[in-house]
Every structure is written in C-alpha cells, then in structure tokens.
Amino acid sequence: MTSETISETLKNLGDPDIAEHSQRFFKTGEGEYGAGDRFLGVRVPVLRKQVAAFRAAPLPEVKKLLHSPYHEERLFALLLMVAKYERGDAAEKEAVYNCYMANTASINNWDLVDSSAPYIVGEYLIARDKAILYTFARSESLWERRIAIMATFYFIRKGRFDTALEIAELLLADTHDLIHKAVGWMLREVGNRDPDRERAFLASRYKSMPRTMLRYAIEKFPEPERKAYLKGEV
C-alpha cells in the first residue's frame, strides 16, 4: 500500500469545479496565506470515507503523501495519521507524533492544522512537557502558531485550561486573522466549560485584543453582555 496508490485513488475522486472553488476558498492567490496551493477537488466527507481503506499504509508512505503539492493529499495524510495515532500502541503514537512535528512545513493551511493538531499533538502532550507549544506560539510560521493554540483544544476538552490561556496570552498581539480566529475560538471553548475562567481572562485584556478574537471569544455570551464587551463597557 504505497503513497502512489493512494494518490491515484484520490485523483480519480477529484472534481475540477470543486477544485476551482477550493482555490478561491483557501486563498491561494499571490500574497494570500494559501498562495500556490493546488487542489484535486475532493470534499472532506469523501476523503474521510477513504481512511478505513488505507489505514494500514506504512507511516513512511503516509509521510510521502504529506509532502504532496495537492492540498487534499496532505489532508488525507493527516487524517491517516490521526487514525493511526488513535489506534496505535505507545510506540506508534510516538512515531506519528514525531513524524508530525518534523513535517510542520507541510501542515500549511488552517484545515490541515485543525483536523490534526488536537488529536495528535494535544493528546500526546497532555501528560508531557508542553514547552514545544510555547516555542511554536513564538514561531515565524503562521501554521506552527496555529498548531500551538489548536493543540490545546484537546486539553480544554479534558477540563485543563491553563496551557490554552497561556498560549492565548502569547498570541494576543499576533497580526494574522487566522490566529485571531483560532485564539478566540479556544477562549470560547474554555468559556463553554468554565464561563468564570474565560471572563477572568478577558477582564484585563478584552479592550486591547484584536476585534475578531474578541468576537469569537464572546460569541456565546448573552446579547447584552456581548454588546457591552464590544463597546468596552464591561
């Protein structure tokens, strides 16, 4: 079961019209965050249906697929890595995690990060030293910064908020909209589980944080309270 076999299967599932739409949706124009990315035109539900058929592909072959110029092939490689991680023993989990962290240059769009970072990086690090997340939060790579905050989604789901809030603090001054959205989303997830914890974090920061980040963070607040935050009147 080789990367070439998987690639051929995915190419046969492609649709040129979907590919053209994806080129626009994922901002592949010059100077945009997905500049130069190429698409086959395979929707995510179709990709997910193929995971079971190729779950047994060796990790080195999956790694080759992760280096594909085609977005869907990289996404499929990550979906396979998540599946391998979830079913793997300790040695395989470590191998998948190490492969992931050694190839972050290929995890280069928001959907690639979001579909994999919580389930591989977050799960692996929850009981381990999390220093790498703080390093990634300071990275020049937009995608490593997004990995840093999205990995904490796993911690949040387990009721552990400290790392998420500390990474959010590091990213408050980030200039990219995709980081603003991700941080706001994770703050909202903290608030879904512990509203007081989120409000305590926002108290001294909401007036200076990026507007998009704040909007995402307070999206589930009662309308009067949400308006008060947006007006700076809390």
Side-chain angles (χ1 to χ4, degrees), residues 4 8-9 18 27 34-35 55 61 85 111 114 123 125 133-134 144 147 161 166 177 180 185 187 193 197 200 218 224:
E4 290 80 8
E8 182 178 357
T9 300
I18 295 173
K27 309 295 184 183
R55 187 181 288 118
E61 294 300 314
Y85 187 95
D111 62 321
D114 297 1
E123 202 280 346
L125 293 179
L133 297 183
Y134 297 84
E144 289 188 347
I147 287 170
F161 309 133
E166 289 167 3
D177 184 63
H180 301 168
W185 176 12
L187 291 175
R193 295 157 176 83
R197 191 76 186 274
I218 63 174

Side-chain angles (χ1 to χ4, degrees), residues 53-201:
F54 293 106
R55 187 181 288 118
L59 187 58
E61 294 300 314
V62 178
K63 178 182 173 181
K64 290 179 186 177
L65 199 66
L66 186 57
H67 292 165
S68 170
Y70 291 103
H71 187 101
E72 293 96 335
E73 292 189 356
R74 300 197 307 282
L75 176 56
F76 191 68
L78 292 165
L79 295 176
L80 285 177
M81 289 172 72
V82 169
K84 285 180 170 297
Y85 187 95
E86 289 175 344
R87 290 171 173 248
D89 58 17
E92 184 161 22
K93 288 179 186 293
E94 183 175 12
V96 170
Y97 170 81
N98 287 336
C99 180
Y100 188 97
M101 299 301 273
N103 291 279
T104 55
S106 295
I107 307 168
N108 56 356
N109 216 309
W110 58 265
D111 62 321
L112 306 184
V113 172
D114 297 1
S115 63
S116 59
Y119 314 107
I120 296 175
V121 182
E123 202 280 346
Y124 188 81
L125 293 179
I126 193 166
R128 294 179 172 88
D129 187 342
K130 300 169 182 58
I132 188 62
L133 297 183
Y134 297 84
T135 299
F136 273 21
R138 298 181 176 92
S139 173
E140 292 184 2
S141 165
L142 163 63
W143 307 117
E144 289 188 347
R145 300 198 306 275
R146 185 149 177 139
I147 287 170
I149 188 63
M150 289 308 302
T152 71
F153 199 1
Y154 189 85
F155 310 156
I156 294 168
R157 286 171 168 168
K158 298 296 183 180
R160 303 184 186 184
F161 309 133
D162 290 354
T163 305
L165 296 175
E166 289 167 3
I167 297 295
E169 181 81 49
L170 291 175
L171 294 172
L172 284 177
D174 201 282
T175 59
H176 205 288
D177 184 63
L178 287 175
I179 299 300
H180 301 168
K181 291 176 179 178
V183 172
W185 176 12
M186 291 304 102
L187 291 175
R188 185 176 73 232
E189 292 295 336
V190 170
N192 285 344
R193 295 157 176 83
D194 189 339
D196 291 341
R197 191 76 186 274
E198 182 188 6
R199 288 182 174 91
F201 181 87

Side-chain angles (χ1 to χ4, degrees), residues 15-29 32-34 37-44 71-72 109-111:
D15 182 317
D17 292 335
I18 295 173
E20 183 179 355
H21 174 268
S22 296
Q23 293 281 148
R24 296 191 301 271
F25 182 76
F26 286 100
K27 309 295 184 183
T28 62
E32 295 182 306
Y33 63 75
D37 208 352
R38 299 163 65 185
F39 289 80
L40 298 172
V42 187
R43 297 195 186 280
V44 174
H71 187 101
E72 293 96 335
N109 216 309
W110 58 265
D111 62 321

